[in-house]
Amino acid sequence: MTQDDINKSDTQPDLGRRKFLNTAALVGLSGAGLSVGLTACNKESAPTAGAPSAPAAQAGAAAHGKYEVPPGQLDEYYSFSSGGHSGDVRIYGLPSGRQLKSIPVFNMDNLVGWGITNESKAILGTKPDGTPKYTTGDTHHVHQSYADGTYDGKYMFVNDKIHGRLARIRMDTMECDKITEIPNIQGFHGTFTDKRDPVDPSINHTTRVFCGAEFAIPLPNDGRDLDDPSKYKSLFTCVDSNTMEPRWQVLIDGNCDLVASSYDGKLACTNQYNTESGAVHYEDMMANEMDACLFFNVARIEEAVKAGKTSTIGSSKVPVVDGRRDSNKDPKTALTCYVPIPKNPHGVNISPDGKYYACSGKLSPTASVIEHELVLKWFDGDLANARDAVVAEPEIGLGPLHTGFDNRGNAYTTLFLDSQIVKWNVDAAIKSFKGDKDAKPVVDRIDVHYQPGHGFTSMGETREADGRFFNSDNKFSKDRFLPVGPLHAETAQLIDISGDKMLLVHDHSVLSEPHDSIIVRRDIIKTRQIYDMDEFPLAVKDPAESGVFRNGKKVTVKLTSQAPAFSLREFKLKKGDEVTIILTNHDKIEDLTHGFAIPKYDINFIVNPQETKSVTFKADKPGVYWCYCTHFCHALHLEMRSRMIIEA
Amino acid sequence: MTQDDINKSDTQPDLGRRKFLNTAALVGLSGAGLSVGLTACNKESAPTAGAPSAPAAQAGAAAHGKYEVPPGQLDEYYSFSSGGHSGDVRIYGLPSGRQLKSIPVFNMDNLVGWGITNESKAILGTKPDGTPKYTTGDTHHVHQSYADGTYDGKYMFVNDKIHGRLARIRMDTMECDKITEIPNIQGFHGTFTDKRDPVDPSINHTTRVFCGAEFAIPLPNDGRDLDDPSKYKSLFTCVDSNTMEPRWQVLIDGNCDLVASSYDGKLACTNQYNTESGAVHYEDMMANEMDACLFFNVARIEEAVKAGKTSTIGSSKVPVVDGRRDSNKDPKTALTCYVPIPKNPHGVNISPDGKYYACSGKLSPTASVIEHELVLKWFDGDLANARDAVVAEPEIGLGPLHTGFDNRGNAYTTLFLDSQIVKWNVDAAIKSFKGDKDAKPVVDRIDVHYQPGHGFTSMGETREADGRFFNSDNKFSKDRFLPVGPLHAETAQLIDISGDKMLLVHDHSVLSEPHDSIIVRRDIIKTRQIYDMDEFPLAVKDPAESGVFRNGKKVTVKLTSQAPAFSLREFKLKKGDEVTIILTNHDKIEDLTHGFAIPKYDINFIVNPQETKSVTFKADKPGVYWCYCTHFCHALHLEMRSRMIIEA
């Protein structure tokens, strides 16, 4: 099927209520449209900082206090959230909405010393001068490892859109332990873990991570084909979840946006908003009335890789298979299947029963429901037209983006332009699509404030979806919080979805710019609060090992911390020394973390209980430098110092 | 008065209930003491992540829901909080406890582009290679500018303990606009704005910021006197709040810890926990039973500076006056007054009526109350002994640190070791000190969880203290939140102090490691949500001015943003170019911020409505680089890109 075929397809839906949005209307949104919408909102609530706000009766608001997590009690869920171009991953408790941690991943973090310690630099990668290769990142999607179709509490994966990297976070310590830069891609937007092996039934857990590249570029991107966008291409990448090395890549037509994976391990997919080959301007990216949801047959791709039906690009050794339309015309051997979806879809999510993918139109007011078994049927050659895998396409509202699911067959989709969450029933949508005039897909709507991006349900991306909560991450907060200058926080709105009507529980603020989250039941997460000293090869296991060890200009300083003192009260160095400081925290009490800062040497890091960290720097400034504990530890915390003496 | 005199002083208080803590006991705290205390706490509430927590009846807990800020309503107070070694300043709403912003100050911030844009680098200062001079910082105390004894909403000041810097934040945009590195100091711990001019009654607003240095070092610290701690000295610095240049410094005996300023502008002061000259080890710093609260006579110091009774240190041109004990023996001409205070005090706070300073003992179970008028009397030569300025010294509990005040004559002090907030009445304490056996200073106690550091009352550092809330920033959260690995969040506990008994409102989590906060009534803060384009000299005021402007290898790229497009859809450069990109955001709608990221070039920053920013980098990698909007702005946000083409 060619793009022309898709555009001419007689299966293009007839959209009644609101037609596809055209370029002019959308451009206008930045001015009149958006401002009108928000002015209206302002009029509705209009709290100002100067005047006390009256208790506004908000439609759909839940009773006060019912969801409050009082002092001494714990939240029921963890919410793990990407930090967007803050570069971190955040952990919130729900229903309280309290932020419990920021895990540094692609950002530099003074508190922890991420980007400062030798251990973190080894994970981040460095330039020849020893500084981190990149100091920025744009985390987009977080997903955890699975076993038996639900989270196994082992790993979390998150991607960086700016520099095309995938990071892994250990769930026991909640720290990043690996980062991989994926070759020959740009705009790494969507990612998802697989849920089981496509072939071996004994492997019923995550072994791969799928990664979609949104921006098409010359391959390799070394200065060739600069002015020939028709030669720009995107790759879809599979990374091994254990080694974190890329296993294979697929050359595709169009681009990759969000990514999903099936519960049986057989398919991965990505929505495509830019099927216009060579489109590099936004109005051209909107030219096609139909774009696609692109499916990957994982087992076939891995057979092709094994059979050596691969190429490589530039200096990369990662095998690349050909997933373009023209090379995959026979469904029975095809590696890929392009299912036509109305205009510039954004978001693809699989239902907890594993049966359906919801792929929203963004510039079409529809969500397309694709049946998993029908896509497999197409790959078997038993479905004439890939579009026939679409079994429903309800009109749900303007600017539909992401969909969460409950455990009762309902879907909840964020409507960016309508500033609403729409609840719709999948079975009713299928009946309606088949012609049943009595079937009403849309069940309920609730206003959110304002312009929701991602939305997600509790355990909604697992077979254990529980239908308790939906969290709407809204891109604009406008007047929802006290004003703090031009840069606003975003609003997360927690919605109780356990009943027939959605009920707004609360607004909680989130610092810009989270993109996606998952809500995980707390019993799944088993953390360690104290390290094992043996995990660290450099550990200074006995305070008696402390000292200054010189090898020419290379000097190693070994010390330990135990409140309220460092094992070395002072240590002497010479100007010009290349110094490595190794610090092991001997405190064993939960939460008894120490910090270590060196004035004028731009160093700060922490050591958690039983942890070891190291830093390396050049002693280029003679004088006395009071290294001090930066992380409050003890009544004598202020007195906890070590004196670094650098002789001229 | 010499240190010997102080130690022999017959005015040393007789402490009944708990004697001064000695070294052995304190060292033990890191093991048995602290763990015992916390084990007890664990037994009390003991919620675990796996099991649902029973609603624990917490002593002193307030009724649910009463303080909740429901959707659509705004908080009543801002809380501005230092981020500690995170390096930022945070803004929370109270009573909700929601974080509304992180203002980057001494940290690098990917989201905003702080440390990346040319504008932020100009504020931070750079190395010869153009990178920021420092990337770490340790913010400790935040204080705003005053007029008429209350906040005027103009500026906020915050200090960096690691590198000895003072930063200023504009309150209209809530962004840092100036950073000053103070010469010849280390361990810049406490800071406070002045409240009015000491001499000119027409200047009834902030013009100075006082800065205390905690760590004594050789002067200058260039390699001299390394092994002679008796020659190490601390300086107390006054910075001009307008120019942000240091005005003068005072050479002192002992060290500076926290700082306070009087309402009449006449005095600044700092508590001293290390009056032991030359003490560099913690047990030596605890040798003296009495340390001090050191007062500075601002008018006399400025007269001495004007009269040229100054020296300079090293290459610094800042005039230094001599505030040491031996040089200030005659009160009538003294620049400084050392008031003896029991053992290693931490914290000094002035009461809202301007009459009293509370200075806590830390290793003594006491708070010392110093009467402002009596210190002035000492400077007039009318008080025989500086210690006589102490008018009360109630025993309040173990590990007393910081004190907040209400508007009814009560003080609230954090007790680090007791894990409590103690409420005590200042007048009753004075009566008791005078011998009135019926006077009971301690009014109430409430447990906090766990180990409080700073605590502060609503508007408590102004004449408008309103006695509504006390916020306890606790250094350990232990089991109060879902476990997130070895590094824990801290707990802030909001306490209603409006009645006779303190009532616990809620716990809210705060990411490590805030040191101090102020709680400000919301009507005082007037922010701007949209910039004026004319404020930016580089502004690209008309999209038609966009383009690539070449001057040899130096290339300037001017572009604008207006959702959903950048004014340049593509721009061409050559490998080796030194490129400056200037971006002006032409959107005028509140909250419509755009981002600009360049893959592989490690660049990301935002432009708020009508704002201009610039970045400079070397085009060293040929190829196609999709610069994209990182801050969600519009339905076509994903399509908002500019193609940077770098020819080989």
Side-chain angles (χ1 to χ4, degrees), chain B residues 284-355:
Chain B
D284 300 327
M285 296 178 197
M286 295 163 59
N288 292 344
E289 293 304 304
M290 297 294 277
D291 287 296
C293 185
L294 166 55
F295 287 84
F296 299 89
N297 188 315
V298 180
R300 283 192 194 163
I301 289 168
E302 301 203 343
E303 277 166 31
V305 171
K306 203 181 274 179
K309 295 174 184 171
T310 61
S311 59
T312 58
I313 298 167
S315 59
S316 164
K317 289 177 181 162
V318 180
V320 179
V321 298
D322 189 346
R324 289 175 296 179
R325 282 190 172 86
D326 286 348
S327 313
N328 291 273
K329 285 181 177 167
D330 179 2
K332 288 190 177 173
T333 59
L335 307 180
T336 53
C337 169
Y338 295 77
V339 177
I341 299 292
K343 215 170 179 82
N344 292 52
H346 185 57
V348 55
N349 301 87
I350 189 166
S351 59
D353 59 12
K355 289 185 183 170

Side-chain angles (χ1 to χ4, degrees), chain A residues 249-295:
Chain A
Q249 296 184 298
V250 186
L251 185 71
I252 62 164
D253 286 322
N255 70 341
C256 304
D257 190 22
L258 278 287
V259 171
S261 71
S262 69
Y263 280 89
D264 61 8
K266 291 180 178 168
L267 300 178
C269 66
T270 183
N271 67 288
Q272 303 193 295
Y273 69 79
N274 182 5
T275 51
E276 299 83 355
S277 276
V280 292
H281 299 151
Y282 73 89
E283 68 275 23
D284 299 328
M285 296 178 197
M286 296 162 59
N288 291 345
E289 293 304 306
M290 298 294 276
D291 286 294
C293 185
L294 167 56
F295 286 85

Side-chain angles (χ1 to χ4, degrees), chain B residues 371-633:
Chain B
E371 187 171 334
H372 177 67
E373 286 300 326
L374 292 179
V375 180
L376 294 180
K377 212 169 158 186
W378 183 90
F379 276 115
D380 289 340
D382 296 333
L383 192 74
N385 193 325
R387 172 71 194 171
D388 294 339
V390 174
V391 294
E393 206 147 67
E395 288 181 37
I396 54 175
L398 290 185
L401 300 180
H402 302 283
T403 299
F405 295 92
D406 65 17
N407 54 350
R408 300 180 302 278
N410 298 306
Y412 303 79
T413 303
T414 55
L415 302 175
F416 180 77
L417 295 174
D418 277 341
S419 268
Q420 286 185 333
I421 308 305
V422 55
K423 174 180 177 181
W424 52 282
N425 184 274
V426 177
D427 283 343
I430 294 170
K431 282 179 191 158
S432 172
F433 194 71
K434 282 181 182 158
D436 181 346
K437 301 273 185 201
D438 294 331
K440 303 289 180 214
V442 172
V443 178
D444 192 21
R445 293 177 187 279
I446 190 169
D447 288 343
V448 292
H449 311 83
Y450 306 98
Q451 264 73 32
H454 276 275
F456 27 92
T457 55
S458 43
M459 295 295 289
E461 298 195 306
T462 74
R463 284 203 196 278
E464 298 188 302
D466 62 14
R468 296 266 326 270
F469 290 111
F470 179 89
N471 198 87
S472 175
D473 267 358
N474 308 321
K475 292 301 182 184
F476 296 88
S477 66
K478 297 275 172 184
D479 55 4
R480 299 299 281 186
F481 304 119
L482 290 177
V484 291
L487 176 62
H488 291 51
E490 301 187 9
T491 329
Q493 289 188 299
L494 190 68
I495 295 166
D496 182 340
I497 57 167
S498 62
D500 288 341
K501 296 290 288 179
M502 292 182 276
L503 290 173
L504 179 61
V505 172
H506 69 226
D507 289 25
H508 64 270
S509 56
V510 286
L511 301 188
S512 297
E513 149 112 326
H515 281 256
D516 196 14
S517 308
I518 53 173
I519 303 178
V520 180
R521 241 177 30 239
R522 68 181 185 187
D523 63 277
I524 290 172
I525 306 298
K526 313 280 186 203
T527 67
R528 295 196 297 153
Q529 264 61 262
I530 297 174
Y531 280 96
D532 178 352
M533 206 180 275
D534 292 332
E535 289 173 82
F536 303 94
L538 298 179
V540 185
K541 294 191 180 177
D542 185 336
E545 296 168 28
S546 303
V548 177
F549 304 90
R550 179 174 290 278
N551 180 3
K553 285 273 181 198
K554 295 213 175 203
V555 183
T556 303
V557 180
K558 295 184 180 182
L559 74 167
T560 64
S561 60
Q562 193 157 17
F566 295 111
S567 57
L568 295 180
R569 292 148 166 275
E570 47 263 318
F571 53 95
K572 274 198 180 171
L573 304 166
K574 291 192 177 70
K575 188 181 170 185
D577 285 346
E578 189 189 312
V579 186
T580 295
I581 291 181
I582 303 169
L583 172 61
T584 299
N585 184 4
H586 278 242
D587 277 308
K588 285 182 183 171
I589 298 168
E590 177 180 350
D591 204 2
L592 216 167
T593 294
H594 293 289
F596 194 81
I598 312 181
K600 309 294 183 187
Y601 276 89
D602 205 19
I603 282 169
N604 183 68
F605 62 96
I606 58 170
V607 274
N608 292 304
Q610 302 282 300
E611 191 180 28
T612 298
K613 295 269 187 68
S614 66
V615 289
T616 298
F617 61 94
K618 189 152 184 194
D620 54 2
K621 293 175 282 287
V624 171
Y625 300 91
W626 287 101
C627 307
Y628 68 99
C629 178
T630 44
H631 207 90
F632 209 105
C633 58

